[in-house]
Amino acid sequence: MKKEIPRLKEVFKDDFKIGAAVNKWTLHSAKDLVTTQFNSITAENEMKPEMLQPEEGEFDFDYSDQLVSFANEHNLGVRGHTLVWHNQCPNWMFKNESGQTVDRERLLKRMDQHIETVVSRYVNQVYSWDVVNEVIADEEDRFLRQSQWLELAGEEFIERAFHTANKADPNATLFYNDYNESDPIKRDKIYKLVKSLLEKKVPIHGVGMQAHWNIHTPSIEHIQQAIELYASLGLEVQITEMDLSVFSWEDKRTDLLAPTKEMLALQERRYEQMFNLFREYRDVISSVTFWGGADDYTWLSNFPVKGRKNWPFLFDEYFNPKQSFWKVVQKSEG
Ligand code: GLA
């Protein structure tokens, strides 16, 4: 019989929820890992607009319902991801019957309809929603990302999405979610956006830090400063899509069949430092979700280099705990 190992969800039970992103396949292949180690799940793709409403008015809830029933059956919370995003959004959303771009009112109405239908289906079953994902621009000289949402609806779509989601489920906490969230320039823009929403009394409750990081960057200091800044607005912070790539962004090498010793050592150290930091901020961090469960499957094996294996998690390809896992569960006193 396999030896029992500590469970993340018990180790962190007084700190924050601990989650994994799953999809229609890993829900089965990683079932034991997910149900023993975690107490929250997120759909990797199954709750995105193109999956839920591929054609106007034709919703397909098969996979997302399966995920939510799985969560209910195994006593897991669900983080909803995501309602409004420039990616994985069906094309029809932005077009009228003759194939031209749709007008502002109609687009906003479609957005409202999508949010109302999805959020009310899972009322009281999803504890937090990523309402708006990635609307801040990466370019230093732009504030909001150029997208069809912005171009056709104007920036008002952002606040309206939160109001609509809040009406549909007043108990779910609502998040703005983004990547490169610890980079000082982007961080300050996210702060500015969220602060302006709060000033307008928009029902937003937290900032989601995606945390697609690697074993070199960002620095712990930058992560800490970002948590502090977002929390200074009186908001919750959730780590929403964490993975620690073993490659730096510039490293495009493709010949590795396994992570090197040096990579794993750095990964252990970083995971330990990060979880120490998360615990230090347990009063503001309400959930920490990995963008997967174990190294057998990760989107990073196709990004940014297609077909290159990556090993970003606490569990290896065979679902065994890595040294990083032991570092994370060996909590120092206090
Ligand atoms: C972003 C999105 C996620 C996912 C990842 C890549 O971070 O928020 O839904 O698509 O990219 O897998």
Side-chain angles (χ1 to χ4, degrees), residues 78-298:
V78 179
R79 258 203 111 252
H81 174 84
T82 178
L83 299 169
V84 182
W85 190 26
H86 63 279
N87 257 334
Q88 291 181 271
C89 181
N91 250 328
W92 64 258
M93 189 75 88
F94 307 107
K95 301 272 183 247
N96 65 18
E97 290 72 16
S98 21
Q100 289 146 342
T101 50
V102 79
D103 65 57
R104 176 173 178 279
E105 268 321 301
R106 186 134 177 233
L107 177 57
L108 288 172
K109 235 185 225 137
R110 285 174 170 173
M111 181 188 80
D112 284 345
Q113 249 152 24
H114 182 80
I115 296 176
E116 268 160 29
T117 311
V118 174
V119 174
S120 45
R121 184 173 187 92
Y122 299 121
V123 110
N124 294 329
Q125 304 192 74
V126 166
Y127 64 92
S128 299
W129 274 105
D130 287 329
V131 177
V132 174
N133 200 31
E134 304 180 351
V135 294
I136 294 295
D138 288 313
E139 303 87 343
E140 283 186 25
D141 56 349
R142 270 195 73 87
F143 180 48
L144 294 178
R145 171 192 298 276
Q146 251 162 337
S147 73
Q148 297 202 80
W149 283 111
L150 183 64
E151 200 181 305
L152 302 177
E155 66 176 272
E156 194 209 316
F157 79 89
I158 301 170
E159 56 191 86
R160 180 146 157 181
F162 281 94
H163 282 293
T164 308
N166 185 238
K167 240 202 242 147
D169 186 354
N171 293 322
T173 48
L174 305 183
F175 279 72
Y176 174 70
N177 190 47
D178 214 331
Y179 64 88
N180 288 351
E181 69 304 302
S182 305
D183 167 74
I185 296 173
K186 191 153 171 194
R187 174 199 75 200
D188 287 353
K189 288 195 271 186
I190 295 174
Y191 172 82
K192 182 175 154 193
L193 170 72
V194 172
K195 186 163 182 281
S196 78
L197 294 174
L198 286 168
E199 282 162 2
K200 287 188 249 176
K201 305 256 179 294
V202 172
I204 172 169
H205 311 109
V207 175
M209 298 174 59
Q210 289 189 2
H212 291 297
W213 297 331
N214 67 52
I215 56 174
H216 305 284
T217 60
S219 68
I220 295 290
E221 290 70 31
H222 279 169
I223 298 172
Q224 178 165 13
Q225 286 161 11
I227 297 172
E228 290 255 348
L229 192 68
Y230 301 142
S232 74
L233 291 167
L235 293 174
E236 278 178 41
V237 168
Q238 294 186 348
I239 307 297
T240 57
E241 307 183 15
M242 188 176 191
D243 39 31
L244 277 194
S245 167
V246 299
F247 299 101
S248 66
W249 183 255
E250 298 73 30
D251 187 348
K252 302 290 192 274
R253 171 164 52 140
T254 56
D255 55 345
L256 279 189
L257 296 176
T260 65
K261 267 201 184 122
E262 291 72 24
M263 285 169 165
L264 289 176
L266 260 175
Q267 196 177 45
E268 284 159 35
R269 223 182 102 220
R270 294 270 286 166
Y271 263 124
E272 183 179 17
Q273 292 172 328
M274 284 166 184
F275 272 82
N276 283 340
L277 183 71
F278 298 160
R279 273 210 336 276
E280 206 182 304
Y281 286 90
R282 53 191 257 189
D283 291 346
V284 292
I285 297 181
S286 49
S287 167
V288 175
T289 293
F290 292 89
W291 206 240
D295 287 347
D296 65 318
Y297 170 77
T298 162

Side-chain angles (χ1 to χ4, degrees), residues 6-22 30-42 67-68 70-80 125-128 238-239 275 285-290 292-293 315:
R7 298 174 173 203
L8 294 170
K9 64 179 173 191
E10 274 152 29
V11 173
F12 295 106
K13 71 175 183 322
D14 297 325
D15 302 322
F16 31 72
K17 284 196 173 61
I18 189 99
V22 292
K31 180 175 172 201
D32 288 347
L33 180 77
V34 171
T35 54
T36 51
Q37 289 289 333
F38 300 93
N39 53 20
S40 172
I41 55 171
T42 302
L67 232 118
V68 174
F70 178 89
N72 290 337
E73 189 185 328
H74 297 283
N75 214 6
L76 307 164
V78 179
R79 258 203 111 252
Q125 304 192 74
V126 166
Y127 64 92
S128 299
Q238 294 186 348
I239 307 297
F275 272 82
I285 297 181
S286 49
S287 167
V288 175
T289 293
F290 292 89
F315 298 91

